[in-house]
Amino acid sequence: MLRSGFKFALLFSFAGALCGAEAAPTPGPPRFERHAFSLPQNIWGVDAIDLNGDGRLELVALGYTQVFALLAPVWQPRVIFDSGGGRFLHCIAVDWDRDGDLDLAVGSFSQGLVLWFENMGGGRFTRQVIDDAHAQQSYDLKIADIDGDGRPDVLIAGRQSKNVVWYRQR
């Protein structure tokens, strides 16, 4: 069960927010317009969050070795982080440092990294390490307040490491 008390972003958005316009509700089945953004790597995961606090959703794309930000409304890709190796599968936005903006938590499948990126504003991020010492594979990543202390914790599902890991925030 997810508990309230910390700011986090869900993977929900709607086409109007993505395109910068509000869509008027119409009866009937939804209609969709395709928008594709070319990136230089295979993309393994994506999230839509307000990275720079301007009220518009930006895209965060997880490539084989790089984490990209595509800032609205231009959608020009910008590299947030380049690991030089590994595959990032999951990205979740959460305000780790409680400064009012959304930071990013990411997990690497093949490189054994669990990281978070502190949002410095303007689409700039600083890499922070949750775990780089245990070769923890991340096949799934979730954020929840497991111990009920009001601080978000990280849950990792390890595929080849055959484990579930809880990173309790201290």
Side-chain angles (χ1 to χ4, degrees), residues 19-40:
C19 298
E22 291 193 30
T26 57
R31 296 175 49 185
F32 299 92
E33 179 181 335
R34 183 177 188 265
H35 297 266
F37 307 99
S38 294
L39 293 167

Side-chain angles (χ1 to χ4, degrees), residues 5-163:
F6 56 89
K7 185 177 177 184
F8 66 96
L10 298 175
L11 299 176
F12 298 108
S13 67
F14 57 93
L18 183 63
C19 298
E22 291 193 30
T26 57
R31 296 175 49 185
F32 299 92
E33 179 181 335
R34 183 177 188 265
H35 297 266
F37 307 99
S38 294
L39 293 167
Q41 296 187 344
N42 294 336
I43 302 303
W44 302 96
V46 66
D47 198 355
I49 63 172
D50 183 1
L51 292 173
N52 57 13
D54 67 357
R56 291 185 283 196
L57 294 176
E58 280 82 36
L59 305 179
V60 175
L62 305 172
Y64 188 73
T65 64
Q66 296 175 324
V67 178
F68 300 93
L70 291 96
L71 301 178
V74 180
W75 309 109
Q76 182 67 34
R78 166 193 247 165
V79 175
I80 294 176
F81 174 69
D82 187 341
S83 71
R87 184 182 332 162
F88 293 101
L89 292 180
H90 298 281
C91 170
I92 296 182
V94 62
D95 187 9
W96 288 114
D97 52 6
R98 299 178 183 200
D99 63 356
D101 59 19
L102 292 172
D103 308 302
L104 302 174
V106 299
S108 169
F109 170 71
S110 59
Q111 209 172 30
L113 295 173
V114 183
L115 307 171
W116 73 279
F117 292 94
E118 182 178 358
N119 189 339
M120 306 305 289
R124 294 176 297 118
F125 291 82
T126 301
R127 177 182 183 248
Q128 307 289 340
V129 174
I130 295 173
D131 186 0
D132 64 357
H134 295 96
Q136 178 59 51
Q137 291 186 342
S138 174
Y139 201 70
D140 193 12
L141 183 145
K142 303 288 185 209
I143 304 296
D145 182 9
I146 303 299
D147 56 1
D149 66 357
R151 294 178 298 201
D153 304 311
V154 178
L155 288 173
I156 297 287
R159 181 175 170 226
Q160 290 178 331
S161 51
K162 299 178 183 174
N163 60 1

